[in-house]
Amino acid sequence: MTTTPANEQSPSPTAGATPVERPVLPLLDSVLFPQMLAPLFVNDERAINAVEQAAASDRVVLAVAARGPTEDFSVGMNDLYSIGVEAIVQRLRRLPDGTLSVVLEGRQRMQIISVVAEHPALRVLAAPLETPPLDEDAALMVEALSRTILTTFEKIVRLSRNLPDDAYLTALNSAEPGELADIIAALLPISVEERQKILELVDIEQRLRHLEVLLAKELDLLELENRIHSQVQQEVDRSQREMFLREQLRAIQRELGQEDPSRREIALLRERAAAAGLPAHAMARFEEELARLDLISPMSPEHGMLRTYLDWLISLPWSNASPENRDLRAAAAVLERNHYGLRKVKDRILEYIAVRQLAGPARRAPILCFVGPPGVGKTSLGQSIAEALGRRFVRLSLGGVHDEAEIRGHRRTYIGALPGRILQRMKVAGTINPVFMLDEVDKLGSDFRGDPSAALLEVLDPEQNSTFSDHYLDLPYDLSQTLFITTANVADAIPDPLLDRMELVELPGYTEDEKLHIARRFLIPRQMTDSGLPPATIRFGNETIHAIIRNYTYEAGVRNLEREIGAICRKIARRIAEGKRYQRQITPRALPKLLGPPRFEIGKIDPRDQVGVAVGMVYTSAGGDIMPVEVVLMDGKGNLLLTGQLGEVMQESAQAALSFARANAARLGIEVRHFDKLDVHVHVPEGATPKDGPSAGVTIATALISALTGRTVRHDIAMTGEITLHGRILPIGGVKEKVLGAYRAGIRQIILPKRNEHDLAEIPAVLRRQLTIHLIERIEQALELVLGPPPPKEPRRAPRVIPRRIDDDD
């Protein structure tokens, strides 16, 4: 049984005091002090027995406070403190439910020595604790402490709403300092543990010092509570006074028939602002502008401008956030249901949700940039991300935007000024944490009106967009909780400072197998629904879908594929509407009747090996493709002619290829004299399309050497790589897209730089098994693969000798 609080020495019974046997009355949630009266209700069986035993003898019990829970339960000796108060049972009355109503009067402190019995009542041997005498110095200290305590207690009684007014007089009339401490401890709203600690402090000076600390804490709390209460009361009084005066004003205006519509408008604006949850800085601006609006005549032009500004201010979402879905399985199911493939993108979104789940919403949202050719599902993927996260989705197309004010808005000084399109979309979203898609970020332009890409730097910077400033709003607006997703066809067209703030996620084109699955899962059901066809009306076989892909579309995405499927569905729907028979199973033989003759062939290159024509690979905004390079030789003076709208980098690649051929002419089997007497013409077909980049270097060099040596180039091998003057092949970008484009064109052998070997992991395994990929480090390796044997040399004829005619005169 623990007897005293920690760090306190247990008081000893008075020397020579004889222990006496007393029944124990446990006290729940209270402590009895000497000279105090305490009314109690006793309902525990052993406690009732103890009171009845005391009433039958000398009416004396030992009142001891209980530890632990304060609910009714059977209290044992281990649940009691060791020091209590001997008390007289002044009044005893039994209630109808069996409970005893008891009034106790405390006498003296006593300490339990031992347990005598636990049944039917708790009985112990206890000895009294006497207060030690005070010397002269201690008496002076006790007197000073008593005065200080009385002064502090007077302030507490004056400030407290729970203590009675005569509590201070009761303490003032106490005869002894020890009694003063007991009275105040019994009146203060402190815990049972603190009261028990004061009860166990037999030394008066220690008891007063401990009580002084408790009083100081209570006084600080009461002063703070009263200060807060006064401030709240002042606000309430002012609000009530304003409300009362406004009601009076409305009543007077109604009586006079002069109710002011502007007053109703201002009151409505104030109510909407209160419901909008504006932050402090926005609310301060709102009140300032509302006060100006109240002073301006409704006929003034500035009244309408201010009214529009206030409408925008309270219509924007400042604090309203939609709840997030952090269930990874549910998010993964949504992404799988809406999109086929795109594993890298799906993994990145699930990683984002997992980080939000662990780090919480305080983490800044990333800026994702989906880069890929048209039709691969960049925009629809943003909608799926919003659905997976449980957020709102808004979209803003940036294609053709030239004015910086489209992003940041116009200043309010202009007539008809509005916020920028960023805040306009946020108003449509209605939440502060939507999924915000910025479409076609690579199509931004700039002119004399400013550079919109520069204005986007603040929007798309996680370190700055928490205080985004719109010219019209002229207030910092928090965009840090918004998940921005940008889309682009080509990353090279995005300005470098803007690209640096975004995390690139590439979406390459689809393979035929992926297009087949996408058509079956998404395109065919959607087009049949849009055409009003029941699900089992028509069926597409795998051969039919492959035929549509190969013969009627030539793209990286599936947009044209969906158009062709839609055209078939519409033709079938027309025959059904006309009551005619229609074909339920769409076969490849039926496609020419439904879609017309095939528009594309698998291979676009001439199916012959030719001299001076090599097949290269290119990556455009529409995905990967193949690009033939033609070289012809003409009599001339050694000039190099380049056509086909080649950019500066591609022209330099052609010059490097020619310099390599001239420097290694003897080793390559080229007659040196050709370079001085022949002009070299390099042409890349489809001259209306601009072309640039260093990756065509190996293709140009192969075609050039083929033309100079007369050796044919294989038409079934496509190549890409940058060439140096010493014949080394350097790595290039867009490997996956270029390989997919070559595969669509019917090429099955690819030549790539050796240093691009790590990019092969991005090519689907199904595709890699159908391709033969050669990795080279020098141009000679490419020449061995694609150049045929040199043409046989014609035998040299003996010079014809013409006999000289001799005249007779000679």
Side-chain angles (χ1 to χ4, degrees):
M1 179 174 65
T2 305
T3 59
T4 57
N7 302 324
E8 293 290 343
Q9 185 176 358
S10 175
S12 301
T14 305
T18 303
V20 293
E21 184 178 341
R22 293 285 184 259
V24 175
L25 175 60
L27 302 179
L28 304 179
D29 290 337
S30 65
V31 175
L32 179 66
F33 288 93
Q35 315 306 322
M36 300 288 109
L37 290 175
L40 299 173
F41 292 96
V42 182
N43 53 15
D44 180 60
E45 182 179 357
R46 287 193 294 178
I48 292 175
N49 292 334
V51 174
E52 288 178 344
Q53 288 179 10
S57 57
D58 55 0
R59 304 180 70 86
V60 177
V61 295
L62 183 62
V64 184
R67 307 171 182 277
T70 59
E71 300 294 333
D72 292 343
F73 64 101
S74 181
V75 179
M77 290 303 301
N78 291 331
D79 302 313
L80 300 176
Y81 289 98
S82 64
I83 296 177
V85 173
E86 184 183 63
I88 300 294
V89 179
Q90 293 286 6
R91 190 180 65 186
L92 174 63
R93 188 174 64 178
R94 184 176 292 276
L95 301 178
D97 61 352
T99 303
L100 293 182
S101 174
V102 181
V103 176
L104 299 180
E105 179 185 358
R107 276 182 156 185
Q108 62 178 340
R109 290 171 168 82
M110 296 191 76
Q111 183 171 5
I112 298 174
I113 303 300
S114 63
V115 178
V116 176
E118 294 194 11
H119 297 285
L122 295 176
R123 296 187 68 85
V124 297
L125 283 178
L129 298 173
E130 296 294 337
T131 302
L134 300 174
D135 57 17
E136 185 177 353
D137 293 338
L140 290 174
M141 178 59 68
V142 166
E143 180 65 25
L145 288 171
S146 300
R147 292 182 181 181
T148 303
I149 286 173
L150 278 172
T151 303
T152 307
F153 187 62
E154 182 183 10
K155 296 178 182 178
I156 290 175
V157 172
R158 190 167 59 249
L159 292 174
S160 176
R161 292 187 293 275
N162 298 323
L163 293 176
D165 295 337
D166 58 349
Y168 173 68
L169 294 178
T170 303
L172 186 63
N173 293 331
S174 60
E176 298 293 337
E179 183 182 352
L180 171 66
D182 292 342
I183 291 173
I184 295 178
L187 292 173
L188 275 181
I190 57 178
S191 64
V192 173
E193 289 77 8
E194 290 292 348
R195 287 198 175 107
Q196 180 67 25
K197 187 173 182 180
I198 293 176
L199 179 67
E200 293 180 359
L201 291 173
V202 179
D203 185 272
I204 295 178
E205 182 178 349
Q206 292 182 8
R207 197 186 311 168
L208 291 173
R209 285 185 182 277
H210 188 71
L211 181 63
E212 183 184 17
V213 173
L214 294 178
L215 288 172
K217 291 180 180 179
E218 184 67 19
L219 181 60
D220 290 342
L221 288 174
L222 287 173
E223 287 177 345
L224 180 59
E225 180 183 345
N226 277 272
R227 185 161 60 250
I228 294 173
H229 178 74
S230 299
Q231 293 174 355
V232 172
Q233 190 63 39
Q234 289 176 2
E235 293 293 332
V236 171
D237 292 344
R238 182 165 62 250
S239 300
Q240 290 179 346
R241 181 172 176 271
E242 290 180 0
M243 186 183 302
F244 176 72
L245 292 175
R246 291 183 186 280
E247 288 297 331
Q248 279 190 326
L249 181 60
R250 292 192 188 100
I252 294 172
Q253 289 175 342
R254 280 195 299 269
E255 290 295 329
L256 296 175
Q258 298 177 352
E259 188 169 1
D260 191 357
S262 63
R263 296 291 179 184
R264 292 199 306 271
E265 182 182 32
I266 290 176
L268 180 61
L269 287 173
R270 186 171 275 109
E271 292 174 4
R272 290 176 56 193
L278 273 67
H281 65 279
M283 196 66 186
R285 173 65 63 83
F286 172 82
E287 292 292 345
E288 177 185 344
E289 299 296 338
L290 190 65
R292 289 182 58 201
L293 183 69
D294 196 13
L295 297 176
I296 296 175
S297 169
M299 304 302 295
S300 171
E302 191 176 357
H303 185 278
M305 295 171 59
L306 268 179
R307 179 67 171 80
T308 304
Y309 177 78
L310 293 174
D311 267 336
W312 273 103
L313 197 61
I314 60 183
S315 297
L316 289 172
W318 293 93
S319 57
N320 181 33
S322 56
E324 284 192 25
N325 171 32
R326 298 185 184 178
D327 188 346
L328 286 175
R329 293 183 179 178
V334 170
L335 294 174
E336 290 295 334
R337 184 178 68 245
N338 294 347
H339 293 273
Y340 179 82
L342 304 178
R343 179 54 49 197
K344 184 187 295 186
V345 182
K346 293 176 181 177
D347 289 343
R348 181 62 186 88
I349 298 305
L350 295 178
E351 290 168 5
Y352 169 73
I353 298 175
V355 170
R356 295 278 289 185
Q357 194 176 65
L358 298 178
R363 185 182 179 274
R364 294 182 176 90
I367 311 297
L368 303 179
C369 180
F370 295 157
V371 180
V376 296
K378 299 185 295 295
T379 304
S380 61
L381 188 60
Q383 297 173 339
S384 298
I385 291 172
E387 182 182 352
L389 294 175
R391 298 191 187 185
R392 301 279 183 86
F393 176 78
V394 288
R395 175 181 168 273
L396 174 60
S397 178
L398 298 176
V401 173
H402 290 75
D403 192 353
E404 178 189 354
E406 294 282 341
I407 307 299
R408 287 192 178 275
H410 296 85
R411 299 195 181 276
R412 281 194 290 158
T413 52
Y414 295 101
I415 300 296
L418 285 174
R421 296 171 70 180
I422 298 294
L423 291 189
Q424 291 181 29
R425 294 285 93 191
M426 291 297 293
K427 178 184 176 182
V428 172
T431 61
I432 201 171
N433 62 338
V435 173
F436 200 126
M437 173 160 281
L438 297 171
D439 243 343
E440 311 295 347
V441 72
D442 57 332
K443 306 298 191 301
L444 282 171
S446 61
D447 55 18
F448 65 92
R449 291 167 292 184
D451 187 357
S453 64
L456 278 177
L457 294 179
E458 185 181 8
V459 177
L460 299 181
D461 192 341
E463 301 295 332
Q464 302 180 30
N465 60 12
S466 60
T467 55
F468 170 68
S469 178
D470 184 274
H471 288 158
Y472 180 82
L473 199 64
D474 197 22
L475 283 173
Y477 187 81
D478 186 9
L479 292 174
S480 62
Q481 300 182 50
T482 303
L483 176 59
F484 284 100
I485 298 176
T486 62
T487 69
N489 296 131
V490 182
D492 296 340
I494 305 175
D496 290 339
L498 193 59
L499 189 63
D500 182 61
R501 287 160 167 79
M502 299 185 293
E503 177 182 344
L504 289 185
V505 180
E506 295 185 357
L507 280 74
Y510 297 113
T511 63
E512 277 194 20
D513 289 338
E514 289 175 335
K515 290 182 180 181
L516 174 67
H517 286 90
I518 292 172
R520 287 217 167 276
R521 285 182 54 182
F522 303 107
L523 306 184
I524 294 175
R526 183 162 61 214
Q527 288 302 318
M528 290 181 66
T529 302
D530 292 346
S531 302
L533 299 177
T537 305
I538 55 175
R539 293 185 299 273
F540 289 80
N542 290 347
E543 297 81 3
T544 305
I545 299 175
H546 278 298
I548 297 174
I549 294 171
R550 294 171 182 171
N551 301 330
Y552 293 91
T553 66
Y554 194 83
E555 57 179 346
V558 293
R559 193 166 288 158
N560 288 327
L561 176 60
E562 184 173 11
R563 290 194 185 102
E564 301 301 330
I565 293 173
I568 295 174
C569 292
R570 289 192 299 273
K571 286 180 170 56
I572 299 299
R574 177 182 174 183
R575 296 188 68 85
I576 293 175
E578 293 174 348
K580 298 180 180 179
R581 296 180 60 186
Y582 63 93
Q583 188 173 355
R584 292 182 179 273
Q585 180 71 33
I586 307 299
T587 62
R589 296 179 60 184
L591 292 180
K593 295 181 180 179
L594 295 171
L595 299 177
R599 291 188 285 275
F600 299 97
E601 296 180 359
I602 292 178
K604 296 194 301 183
I605 300 300
D606 193 334
R608 297 174 299 166
D609 296 343
Q610 302 180 65
V611 175
V613 179
V615 182
M617 295 188 290
V618 64
Y619 178 36
T620 69
S621 61
D625 203 349
I626 56 175
M627 177 186 68
V629 175
E630 301 175 348
V631 176
V632 296
L633 305 177
M634 304 169 292
D635 292 336
K637 299 180 180 179
N639 296 324
L640 176 64
L641 180 63
L642 304 172
T643 58
Q645 281 209 60
L646 307 185
E648 293 183 4
V649 177
M650 203 165 180
Q651 294 179 25
E652 292 173 357
S653 297
Q655 186 63 57
L658 180 61
S659 298
F660 172 80
R662 294 187 66 175
N664 299 272
R667 184 161 55 89
L668 296 173
I670 303 173
E671 296 186 16
V672 179
R673 62 186 181 86
H674 284 173
F675 295 104
D676 297 329
K677 298 182 179 180
L678 296 175
D679 287 345
V680 178
H681 184 176
V682 178
H683 176 69
V684 181
E686 298 184 14
T689 304
K691 311 166 190 71
D692 202 2
S695 61
V698 64
T699 312
I700 297 174
T702 301
L704 180 62
I705 294 172
S706 168
L708 290 171
T709 60
R711 301 166 65 182
T712 58
V713 182
R714 291 181 59 177
H715 71 282
D716 58 344
I717 299 181
M719 63 193 75
T720 183
E722 181 180 354
I723 187 174
T724 68
L725 291 176
H726 293 279
R728 290 190 301 116
I729 305 300
L730 301 183
I732 45 82
V735 171
K736 181 178 180 181
E737 292 78 7
K738 292 177 180 179
V739 171
L740 287 177
Y743 179 81
R744 281 195 299 271
I747 301 293
R748 294 298 179 265
Q749 292 197 56
I750 307 292
I751 295 177
L752 293 175
K754 175 70 174 177
R755 290 168 61 180
N756 281 114
E757 186 175 5
H758 61 278
D759 294 320
L760 299 181
E762 298 183 1
I763 302 173
V766 177
L767 204 65
R768 289 201 303 269
R769 287 193 292 268
Q770 302 180 45
L771 294 174
T772 301
I773 299 177
H774 306 279
L775 300 174
I776 64 172
E777 295 179 331
R778 296 194 56 80
I779 183 63
E780 291 85 355
Q781 296 172 271
L783 298 178
E784 291 177 6
L785 291 169
V786 299
L787 290 186
K793 295 183 178 180
E794 296 182 0
R796 296 185 61 182
R797 299 178 180 177
R800 182 181 179 184
V801 179
I802 302 175
R804 184 178 179 186
R805 182 178 179 180
I806 301 177
D807 294 335
D808 295 338
D809 295 339
D810 294 338

